[in-house]
Amino acid sequence: MPAAVLAAALSGPLALHGAIAQAETAYPAHAITLVVPFAAGGPTDVVARALGASMSKTLGQSIVVENRTGAGGTLAPAFVARAQPDGYTLLIHHNGMATAPALYRKLQYDPLKDFSYIGQVADVPMTVLARRDLPPDDLPGFIKYAREQGNKLNLANAGPGAVSQLCGMLLQEAIGTQFTTIPYAGTAPAMSALLGQQVDVLCDQTTQTIPQIKARHVKFYGVTTLERIKALPDAPTLQEGGLKGFEVKVWHGIYAPKGTPQAAIDKVNAALRTALKDPAFTQRMAELGAEIVPPEKQTPQGLQTWLQSETDKWGAMIRKAGVYAD
């Protein structure tokens, strides 16, 4: 074959290979969108914006946070699952990725099949609070009081699928009683109801509750971790107060649409792991009572394994309770 003909025959495949290699090398060539399933200013949004600011320094491109709210946090994952798998649309979500399959009988996506995994970010403890004039002053007293009062006590949460709902379910199971549950459209109105003494009890994240606890605007019974936390070193755990093995954390993971190129996944994961060592980010998380996850959870495999285990854990509890969001 003449050299000119051979060159022409090879130019197509070589050019295509070169274009692909260049595209992979160039990623990211423009801003990346990080989709948050909840409102601006909420706990997940706060983590997302701090994380995006840190990761953008490594990636060399802006990370734009986009809030897509609604349907108990399921609209955003559905949107990302259908997005172009090019690395420019990412999702940050909490425990709701694990609970949605049990809570929603007509879910528009499969959390375990429709996403590429990037890694986990930080764990945020929950706290058990009560209106400031509720009689018990400590957790053992509250447990006794709750068993006596039963459904006369009102338990607020931030709506179906919220971690506050899950924490409340586990609290009732651990105490061995049933409260009257009152769902609100988000964390802020649930907290407002507690501060206004319209409800009796609330489980909520340290990202929202630490200011109220320190100002003594609420009665505080303990944190939902197995060990005390740095942000509230004098606060007992629920386990110390008598609820053995009680643990609920808000965990956050980063996802991309299924089929996103491995080169993009690798770059975003590298930026994530760098951000989790960034003093500015770690300090912000410490202020919120959040703890950076260990290295083995910062990987795609770590997130995938954790999501599967959490799906199994909460799915069984939700199905047993017969609680659905649709």
Side-chain angles (χ1 to χ4, degrees):
M1 181 181 293
V5 176
L6 178 62
L10 293 175
S11 63
L14 288 174
L16 177 60
H17 176 77
I20 293 173
Q22 183 178 6
E24 291 180 346
T25 302
Y27 176 85
H30 56 78
I32 297 168
T33 298
L34 180 59
V35 181
V36 178
F38 308 105
T44 302
D45 179 77
V46 170
V47 173
R49 292 180 188 276
L51 182 66
S54 182
M55 288 177 63
S56 65
K57 293 185 289 187
T58 300
L59 291 168
Q61 295 288 350
S62 298
I63 293 183
V64 180
V65 173
E66 179 179 321
N67 301 91
R68 283 186 172 263
T69 63
T74 63
L75 288 185
F79 170 78
V80 173
R82 296 191 300 266
Q84 185 72 22
D86 55 10
Y88 289 100
T89 304
L90 306 176
L91 170 72
I92 182 170
H93 205 346
H94 63 25
N95 311 48
M97 281 290 274
T99 59
L103 282 170
Y104 293 88
R105 291 163 288 189
K106 296 181 180 180
L107 198 62
Q108 300 301 309
Y109 58 93
D110 187 330
L112 293 167
K113 295 180 180 178
D114 293 342
F115 298 90
S116 294
Y117 304 95
I118 294 173
Q120 289 188 64
V121 183
D123 293 334
V124 182
M126 301 289 284
T127 53
V128 175
L129 312 175
R131 54 182 169 84
R132 61 180 178 271
D133 62 345
L134 199 73
D137 291 323
D138 57 23
L139 182 61
F142 172 71
I143 293 172
K144 181 176 183 295
Y145 183 78
R147 287 171 177 163
E148 294 170 350
Q149 297 295 314
N151 61 12
K152 293 179 182 178
L153 286 178
N154 294 324
L155 172 67
N157 66 49
V163 184
S164 58
Q165 181 202 28
L166 304 177
C167 181
M169 289 172 60
L170 191 59
L171 181 65
Q172 293 172 85
E173 183 177 274
I175 293 175
T177 190
Q178 290 292 316
F179 302 140
T180 295
T181 301
I182 302 178
Y184 287 84
T187 298
M191 176 60 76
S192 294
L194 187 70
L195 295 174
Q197 302 184 63
Q198 298 161 3
V199 295
D200 301 311
V201 185
L202 172 67
C203 290
D204 202 0
Q205 303 177 44
T206 53
T207 48
Q208 300 293 300
T209 63
I210 285 178
Q212 307 298 344
I213 292 169
K214 291 185 174 180
R216 298 180 183 272
H217 291 158
V218 294
K219 194 156 282 188
F220 173 44
Y221 292 134
V223 296
T224 64
T225 49
L226 297 180
E227 298 180 357
R228 295 193 179 197
I229 63 174
K230 295 177 182 178
L232 295 167
D234 297 327
T237 66
L238 267 64
Q239 178 165 256
E240 290 177 54
L243 301 181
K244 299 300 182 183
F246 194 104
E247 182 179 30
V248 181
K249 294 180 181 179
V250 182
W251 54 270
H252 301 83
I254 306 293
Y255 308 82
K258 190 72 173 180
T260 297
Q262 189 61 46
I265 297 294
D266 291 344
K267 284 195 173 183
V268 176
N269 177 258
L272 169 64
R273 288 185 284 109
T274 299
L276 299 186
K277 298 176 184 176
D278 180 358
F281 180 72
T282 57
Q283 176 61 32
R284 180 60 176 143
M285 292 301 98
E287 292 170 356
L288 299 171
E291 297 182 353
I292 304 301
V293 298
E296 62 269 19
K297 287 189 173 184
Q298 298 172 15
T299 65
Q301 184 59 53
L303 174 56
Q304 183 177 11
T305 300
W306 183 253
L307 177 61
Q308 181 67 68
S309 66
E310 285 285 280
T311 300
D312 294 341
K313 170 186 173 180
W314 290 108
M317 183 175 295
I318 291 168
R319 285 188 289 271
K320 179 182 177 181
V323 176
Y324 300 104
D326 59 1

